[in-house]
Amino acid sequence: MEGFIKKNTELISECSNKYRVVKLLGSGGQGEVYEVGLLSAEGEITSLFALKWYFKNNATEAQMSILENLISRGSPADVFLWPLELVHDSRFTSTGDFGYIMPLRPNNFKGIVDLMKCRVSPTFVALSRTAFNLTLGYEKLHGMGLAYNDISFGNLFFNPENGAALICDNDNVTAGGRVSVNGTPRFMAPEIVRGEAQPSRNTDLFSLAVLLFYLFMVHHPLEGALEAKIKALDIYAMEKLYGRKPVFIFDPDNESNRPVKGYHDNAIIYWDIFPKRIKDLFIESFTVGIEHPERRVTERRWLDAIINLLFGVVKCSCKSEVFYDDDLAADGVGTTCWNCGKEIPPVTKIVIGKSRALLMKDTKLYRHHIAGNFELTEAVASVTQNPNNPNQWGLRNESGAEWTYIGVDGSRTPVAVGKSALIAKGAKIDFGEQVGEI
Amino acid sequence: MSETKEFKRPGGELSNRPLHFIWVVDCSGSMHGEKIGKVNHAIQSTIPEMADAARNNPYAELLIRTLKFSSGAQWVTPEPVNVDNFCWSDLEAGGVTDMGNAFDLISSQLTIPPMSDRALPPVLVLISDGQPTDDYKTALDKLLALPWGKKSVRIAISIGQDADVSILNEFTGNRDLVLQANNSADLVKMIKWASTAAAVVSAPATPDSTTVAGGAGGSNSSPIIFDINNIPVPEESDPDDINVW
C-alpha cells in the first residue's frame, strides 16, 4: 500500500535532520503515518522513527501551533510517543502541508482492541501494570497543565507480557483553548455527548475511568439492561445511553441498568473478582462523577488503588491470580479463589501509608512504597529467606539508606543496607520517610 | 500464545452487535462489459480493507451480503457472511433495471426475523447507472417504513451521468450521500468511502460544522455523521469521456 508520500522519499525536518520514508504504516482520520529512517551524513539509516503526515484539510495553522507548543514543552513521560520535530518539506509536497516526527512504536506492543477481542491474554498483574503506566502518564500530562482530549482504544498500546504502555496521537493535546476533537464515542464524558462541554482535563478523567473499566472488566460501564433493551444502537440510542441518561451498571442506588446475562457476561464475571477498593472508585466515577465533572476520581487516587491491586495478587494452588481484598480481610472474611472456590491461606502484609503489599517469596517493594511518589522501577526491598533458618523470612534493605526495625516488644534495631529485617506480625519498619507495619 | 501460559483470565470478547452491510449492485444491460468489471474490481479490492477495519472494531460483527438486480433481483450471498470469510463473486450484467425488486428482497431480510432484534443500523450501498424499469417507489416506501429500513444508513453511488439522481436521493434521503462516479478512479474512491460507513455506524461521532448527517432525515431515521471533508469529490471529466469507461 502506498501513501501520499512515496517510499524512499527523503525529507528534511525543521531541525535539518534528514529522513527517508521506509513504508506507510497506516492511515487515519487526520492523516497518514509512515515509518521513516533518520539518515547519517553518509545517507545511511541510523535509527527509525514515525512520521505523521496530515491530510490537506487537517494541515491547519492551528494544528501547527499546537505541535510547536508540544515540541517546545517536551514529553511529560516516557510512555508518550511525543512529537519531536516538524517536517514541512515543500520539495515533495504541496506548500503548507506538514507532518511531525515521533518515536516509533515497537512491534511487541499490542492495541487495546487486541485485548477486547481476546487476541492477547495478559495476566492480571500485567494488566494492572498497564493501567498504572497509562494513569501515571495522564497524571504527568495533566500536571503540565495539558489535556489529552481523546483517551480511547485507538491511541494506546501495551505489552501484554509486562504491562508496559504507550500513548500516541498526542497531536490533539492542548493547554486550554479551542479543542479540535470531541473525543471518541463511548469514551466521551456525558456533558460532551450532550453538547454542553468541550474536552478538558475533567473530561479526560471520565474517559480514563471508562478506559480502566474496559481494561479490567472488558466491558463498558454504562452498558447494561438499558443497552440490552435497545434494538438499533444508533446515534440517538447512544446519545441517551452515554449522554442524556447514563446509569452505571453497578450503581448501588439505581438497579435499572444491571448487566444482563448472555449480553454482558464479562461485567458479571470480572466485577466479583476485583477488590472493593477499586470497585468503589468505579462506583464513584460513574455516579457522582457523571453528575459532577469537578468531583471525578483523580489519577492519584486511581494510582494508589492500582498499586494495591498490583501488590495484592496471590497465586491460588489452581494457579489462578486472585486479588487480595483488604476490606474483606478487615471484616475477618478470607479471600476465595474465583476459579476453584478455595479459600486463599492468610498472607502476611505490610502497610506503609496508603500502600499495602503482600509479603510473599519474590515480593519486591519499590521507591513508591517508602516515598509515596508512584515510582515503581527502583526496588528498595526484597523478601528473603534466612539462610540459617529457612522458616524465617525477612525484608532485605536495598534502599541505600539505613532503616530501623521496631520489634513487637518495641525494641529498635538498625537495619543496614544489605541486611534483612524479620517479617513478624506486629513488627514495624521505619523506612525514614514512612513507617510500615507488618 | 495462551497454551504456554499457566494462567488465563476468565471472560470472553467484548460484547458486540451484528452490523449488516449489503452491496446492492445494478447488473442491467447498460452495466455490461467494462463497467461491471470495474465495479467487481473496486469492491473486491475494498473487502480486505473492510476486514482490516473490522479487526480493529471491537463493537461490531461485520456481516456482508451482495444483492444484484437486472431482470428481477437475486441474493448473490444468500446468508450474511462474516467479513473475514466473505469472497466477492464477480457479477455479470444483462437485462433490465428491476430496482424495486431489489428493495423488496432487502425488505424481506430487514424484517425480524430473519433480522435479529439487537443490532447496529444496517448499511445499504446501492450502485447503479440507470433508471428503474419497475415500480421502485412502492418497494422503496415499504423498505423505508420498516423499523430496520428506517434505521438503515443508505449510500448510493451513481455511475456516469445516466442514473436518475432524484431516485437515488429518495433512496439515501440525503443528497450528500449520493456520490457521482465519473471514472474508474472515482468509483474506487467512492466504494472505499462507502465501505467505511461500517466503522462510522459502530462509533458515530457527534455532529459539528464539518459533518453531514446521513439517513432518511426526520426524527425516526438513523442519521450517521460523516466527515464532509472526506466525501470523495468526482474528478473533473471531459464531457466526451463521461461514458467512456
Side-chain angles (χ1 to χ4, degrees):
Chain A
M1 194 167 50
E2 281 261 14
F4 182 71
I5 309 179
K6 301 282 169 272
K7 200 180 155 179
N8 290 327
T9 302
E10 288 183 8
L11 298 160
I12 297 173
S13 74
E14 208 168 53
C15 308
S16 305
N17 288 316
K18 208 183 233 188
Y19 295 91
R20 181 181 299 146
V21 172
V22 178
K23 62 181 175 195
L24 178 69
L25 293 173
S27 180
Q30 294 182 315
E32 293 175 329
V33 178
Y34 297 86
E35 182 177 307
V36 294
L38 174 65
L39 299 181
S40 65
E42 292 75 38
E44 300 290 320
I45 291 180
T46 55
S47 49
L48 293 171
F49 289 88
L51 165 70
K52 174 157 175 180
W53 196 258
Y54 290 96
F55 293 136
K56 204 152 202 56
N57 289 315
N58 299 90
T60 59
E61 274 183 39
Q63 184 66 68
M64 171 90 87
S65 98
I66 286 176
L67 285 166
E68 282 169 344
N69 182 21
L70 297 177
I71 290 165
S72 69
R73 280 165 182 257
S75 175
D78 288 347
V79 72
F80 292 94
L81 297 178
W82 201 254
L84 298 170
E85 58 172 332
L86 285 171
V87 179
H88 35 84
D89 192 325
S90 55
R91 292 173 307 153
F92 298 99
T93 57
S94 348
T95 322
D97 288 4
F98 64 91
Y100 68 90
I101 298 287
M102 61 185 146
L104 189 64
R105 166 166 58 92
N107 285 333
N108 51 351
F109 280 76
K110 305 290 180 196
I112 306 295
V113 172
D114 291 317
L115 178 72
M116 295 301 121
K117 293 203 164 203
C118 295
R119 290 189 289 244
V120 293
S121 180
T123 62
F124 278 130
V125 169
L127 209 50
S128 305
R129 270 274 177 184
T130 300
F132 171 80
N133 289 326
L134 292 172
T135 308
L136 186 61
Y138 297 121
E139 199 275 334
K140 292 195 168 156
L141 181 99
H142 291 155
M144 288 170 68
L146 301 171
Y148 187 80
N149 302 325
D150 190 17
I151 296 175
S152 56
F153 290 151
N155 43 45
L156 305 170
F157 295 91
F158 80 120
N159 182 336
E161 300 298 321
N162 60 17
L166 292 173
I167 301 172
C168 59
D169 291 350
N170 297 297
D171 48 350
N172 294 317
V173 169
T174 54
R178 168 99 190 125
V179 182
S180 60
V181 291
N182 260 337
T184 298
R186 295 178 179 82
F187 286 88
M188 278 185 272
E191 65 271 24
I192 303 181
V193 178
R194 293 193 300 266
E196 298 163 5
Q198 280 225 342
S200 66
R201 187 173 48 82
N202 280 335
T203 66
D204 274 357
L205 290 179
F206 182 87
S207 308
L208 172 63
V210 172
L211 174 68
L212 293 172
F213 197 86
Y214 265 128
L215 283 180
F216 289 137
M217 312 287 165
V218 195
H219 193 75
H220 192 283
L222 305 174
E223 291 174 10
L226 299 176
E227 187 266 353
K229 262 189 251 170
I230 297 166
K231 288 189 166 85
L233 188 65
D234 64 0
I235 194 160
Y236 293 121
M238 290 176 75
E239 271 171 15
K240 190 172 173 190
L241 208 54
Y242 309 116
R244 284 184 289 115
K245 295 265 171 68
V247 180
F248 183 40
I249 55 175
F250 295 110
D251 185 336
D253 301 320
N254 181 348
E255 293 186 0
S256 66
N257 198 20
R258 288 286 182 267
V260 177
K261 207 167 166 33
Y263 290 139
H264 310 128
D265 291 349
N266 283 344
I268 298 168
I269 292 169
Y270 284 117
W271 186 251
D272 285 340
I273 289 176
F274 282 84
K276 183 170 181 296
R277 290 198 184 172
I278 199 104
K279 290 196 282 197
D280 282 348
L281 292 187
F282 282 125
I283 291 172
E284 193 177 327
S285 296
F286 301 118
T287 55
V288 182
I290 278 183
E291 295 284 326
H292 304 282
E294 69 291 351
R295 283 169 63 191
R296 289 185 175 141
V297 175
T298 56
E299 301 92 335
R300 286 172 170 262
R301 293 182 65 207
W302 282 118
L303 289 170
D304 280 324
I306 295 167
I307 290 173
N308 285 344
L309 273 185
L310 262 171
F311 291 88
V313 173
V314 193
K315 272 276 172 80
C316 176
S317 55
C318 75
K319 292 184 175 169
S320 302
E321 287 175 295
V322 179
F323 289 114
Y324 178 83
D325 193 323
D326 298 274
D327 294 273
L328 285 180
D331 292 344
V333 180
T335 300
T336 49
C337 173
W338 50 266
N339 184 30
C340 69
K342 259 189 293 200
E343 190 163 325
I344 304 293
V347 187
T348 309
K349 61 178 179 176
I350 186 164
V351 177
I352 317 161
K354 288 181 186 164
S355 295
R356 182 270 299 120
L358 302 182
L359 297 176
M360 298 173 292
K361 186 176 176 291
D362 301 330
T363 298
K364 282 181 188 299
L365 299 184
Y366 293 85
R367 183 58 66 187
H368 167 78
H369 288 107
I370 59 174
N373 60 358
F374 306 118
E375 164 56 60
L376 289 185
T377 48
E378 185 200 350
V380 297
S382 298
V383 171
T384 53
Q385 203 167 11
N386 185 343
N388 303 320
N389 182 354
N391 289 325
Q392 280 191 346
W393 293 84
L395 204 53
R396 185 170 58 215
N397 183 351
E398 296 166 1
S399 72
E402 192 172 272
W403 302 341
T404 305
Y405 182 75
I406 307 165
V408 185
D409 59 356
S411 61
R412 299 175 75 91
T413 320
V415 185
V417 173
K419 295 289 178 192
S420 294
L422 179 69
I423 297 173
K425 201 168 164 49
K428 291 178 188 168
I429 299 172
D430 185 344
F431 295 103
E433 291 176 66
Q434 299 196 80
V435 177
E437 189 168 351
I438 297 167
Chain B
M1 64 182 294
S2 54
E3 292 87 25
T4 57
K5 283 240 173 82
E6 54 184 28
F7 163 79
K8 205 171 180 307
R9 285 157 46 251
E13 283 187 35
L14 184 69
S15 68
N16 61 25
R17 286 177 176 241
L19 194 168
H20 292 276
F21 189 109
I22 306 178
W23 295 107
V24 188
V25 185
D26 182 345
C27 291
S28 61
S30 57
M31 290 286 290
H32 183 74
E34 283 177 36
K35 267 192 197 174
I36 193 71
K38 284 173 177 169
V39 170
N40 282 326
H41 167 77
I43 299 183
Q44 188 175 336
S45 51
T46 299
I47 300 298
E49 289 172 39
M50 290 182 84
D52 271 350
R55 270 190 283 280
N56 277 315
N57 181 349
Y59 309 117
E61 184 195 6
L62 181 56
L63 300 166
I64 305 193
R65 258 180 295 186
T66 310
L67 175 64
K68 64 172 186 180
F69 61 95
S70 51
S71 302
Q74 199 187 341
W75 288 103
V76 181
T77 329
E79 296 294 323
V81 176
N82 188 296
V83 64
D84 282 329
N85 303 321
F86 182 84
C87 296
W88 182 253
S89 310
D90 273 354
L91 303 176
E92 286 181 21
V96 294
T97 310
D98 288 340
M99 194 183 280
N101 222 309
F103 294 151
D104 279 335
L105 283 187
I106 299 171
S107 291
S108 67
Q109 290 299 304
L110 292 191
T111 311
I112 307 173
M115 187 73 185
S116 61
D117 63 354
R118 198 171 167 276
L120 287 158
V123 177
L124 312 176
V125 179
L126 172 65
I127 301 165
S128 177
D129 76 333
Q131 313 235 1
T133 46
D134 62 352
D135 176 16
Y136 79 94
K137 182 78 181 143
T138 312
L140 181 59
D141 289 347
K142 194 178 131 207
L143 170 65
L144 298 185
L146 288 172
W148 279 118
K150 242 182 250 172
K151 294 284 184 189
S152 66
V153 169
R154 300 173 302 279
I155 298 168
I157 299 173
S158 136
I159 296 183
Q161 305 273 298
D162 294 340
D164 189 328
V165 175
S166 66
I167 292 172
L168 299 181
N169 279 344
E170 275 181 70
F171 170 74
T172 63
N174 183 331
R175 265 199 77 88
D176 286 323
L177 294 183
V178 178
L179 310 182
Q180 172 87 34
N182 288 333
N183 55 46
S184 57
D186 280 354
L187 184 69
V188 169
K189 264 194 284 185
M190 284 160 187
I191 283 183
K192 187 178 162 181
W193 185 81
S195 79
T196 62
V200 182
V201 164
S202 32
T206 40
D208 66 27
S209 57
T210 62
T211 54
V212 56
S219 59
N220 288 329
S221 73
S222 171
I224 170 171
I225 310 300
F226 290 100
D227 186 345
I228 203 166
N229 293 323
N230 290 335
I231 292 184
V233 184
E235 287 179 13
E236 292 289 325
S237 300
D238 187 323
D240 291 339
D241 285 346
I242 284 167
N243 292 315
V244 182
W245 278 66

